[in-house]
């Protein structure tokens, strides 16, 4: 009888603790290009004593719309300022928590076996001619940050009009990367960090700094989050430990690192 009482008490205690544990788990909506680095950072955060982090990766535009529709997220990390400004304008983030965390670069890639190398990208650059009769992989140029940056660069360089009909537009930057990795297109425009994690592609050129807006990844806690651990998580992303992880993948760290 006493054993049954103890067993019943243990079950009751476990059930009572479940909501608290669930509350501590952090849900992060993050730009697709962050996947490898952020997975490592999330694991380091949990190993350092933080709660488990569940990350959902997609184009920043899609994630912003999901947050607007009421999807439960504690933290949003966008690949550009536009979509963070969008959710901020809808009062869907906590303004005081917002920080411009990371930077990146825009590059031209080709399949690993391509004969292309050291492409000089400057004013008058004719990417359409370089592609020949083939297509150029790029993220959606109307909504996805990587595509918006690419369009800005091509317009600035005078290459947009000829290039637009040849674009193979993808739902996010990792899908763009996959087009080139599979050899479906001979060229693609992605972030430097994406190119570095895919062994089947190579960087053949860098878009000049100033030809597109600085690639910036802002992070913020959502207004709907009631998770006390979300602030600690954002704090961890600013630590030297997180900085080392992001820089290993090729991101630039835009904030002074500080202890969590």
């Amino acid at each position: 009888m006493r054993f049954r009482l103890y067993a019943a008490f243990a079950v009751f205690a476990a059930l009572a603790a479940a909501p608290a544990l669930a509350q501590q788990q952090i849900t992060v909506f993050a730009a697709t290009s962050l996947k490898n680095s952020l997975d490592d950072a999330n694991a380091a955060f949990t190993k350092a004593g933080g709660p488990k982090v569940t990350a959902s990766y997609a184009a920043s535009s899609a994630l912003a719309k999901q947050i607007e529709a009421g999807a439960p997220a504690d933290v949003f990390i966008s690949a550009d300022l536009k979509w963070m400004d969008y959710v901020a304008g809808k009062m869907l983030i906590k303004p005081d928590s917002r920080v411009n965390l990371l930077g990146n670069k825009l590059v031209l890639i080709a399949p690993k076996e391509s004969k292309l190398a050291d492409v000089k990208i400057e004013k008058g650059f004719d990417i359409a001619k370089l592609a020949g009769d083939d297509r150029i992989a790029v993220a959606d140029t109307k909504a996805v940050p990587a595509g918006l940056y690419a369009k800005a660069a091509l317009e600035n360089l005078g290459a947009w009009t000829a290039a637009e009909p040849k674009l193979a537009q993808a739902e996010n930057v990792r899908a763009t990367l996959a087009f080139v990795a599979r050899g479906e297109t001979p060229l693609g425009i992605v972030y430097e960090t994406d190119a570095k994690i895919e062994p089947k592609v190579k960087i053949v050129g860098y878009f000049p700094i100033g030809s597109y807006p600085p690639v910036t990844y802002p992070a913020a806690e959502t207004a709907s989050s009631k998770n006390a651990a979300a602030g600690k998580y954002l704090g961890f992303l600013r630590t030297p430990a997180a900085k080392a992880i992001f820089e290993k993948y090729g991101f630039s760290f835009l904030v002074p690192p500080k202890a969590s």
Side-chain angles (χ1 to χ4, degrees), residues 33 46 52 93 100 113 116 144 158 160-161 173 204 208 224-225 235 255:
S33 51
T46 302
K52 179 183 177 182
I93 63 167
N100 290 340
E113 65 277 8
L116 282 177
V144 178
W160 173 254
T161 301
V173 72
V204 297
S224 62
S225 176
V255 292

Side-chain angles (χ1 to χ4, degrees), residues 51 75 85 138 200 208:
V75 171
D85 288 343
V138 67
K200 294 181 180 179

Side-chain angles (χ1 to χ4, degrees), residues 3-169:
F3 174 79
R4 289 180 181 176
L5 287 173
Y6 281 138
F9 177 78
V11 170
F12 176 78
L15 290 173
L21 291 173
Q23 173 67 17
Q24 282 297 302
Q25 291 183 10
I26 300 169
T27 301
V28 177
F29 281 12
T32 307
S33 51
L34 287 168
K35 179 170 173 38
N36 300 70
S37 59
L38 197 62
D39 280 350
D40 283 3
N42 291 344
F45 173 69
T46 302
K47 186 176 181 180
K52 179 183 177 182
V53 181
T54 299
S56 178
Y57 298 104
S60 302
S61 50
L63 296 172
K65 291 291 187 178
Q66 289 174 28
I67 291 171
E68 183 182 16
D74 297 307
V75 171
F76 176 41
I77 310 177
S78 172
D80 71 354
L81 299 175
K82 172 186 174 179
W83 288 107
M84 186 61 80
D85 288 343
Y86 178 85
V87 293
K90 303 282 184 179
M91 294 189 284
L92 296 172
I93 63 167
K94 297 176 182 178
D96 292 346
S97 71
R98 180 173 174 172
V99 60
N100 290 340
L101 186 66
L102 303 169
N104 212 334
K105 295 177 182 177
L106 204 62
V107 299
L108 183 68
I109 60 169
K112 194 72 173 180
E113 65 277 8
S114 172
K115 294 180 181 179
L116 282 177
D118 301 322
V119 175
K120 192 172 183 180
I121 303 176
E122 57 187 358
K123 284 281 189 182
F125 170 58
D126 194 345
I127 192 173
K129 183 179 179 180
L130 194 64
D133 295 330
D134 292 307
R135 308 289 294 279
I136 304 157
V138 67
D140 181 357
T141 58
K142 292 183 179 179
V144 178
L148 294 171
Y149 291 126
K151 181 180 180 180
L154 293 175
E155 286 180 333
N156 185 281
L157 298 170
W160 173 254
T161 301
E164 186 181 11
K166 295 189 173 187
L167 299 181
Q169 300 196 37

Side-chain angles (χ1 to χ4, degrees), residues 34 100-105 191-193 214-218 246 250-255:
L34 287 168
N100 290 340
L101 186 66
L102 303 169
N104 212 334
K105 295 177 182 177
Y191 300 125
E192 181 182 26
T193 54
V215 179
T216 306
Y217 291 75
F246 288 122
F251 291 94
S252 55
F253 208 68
L254 301 183
V255 292

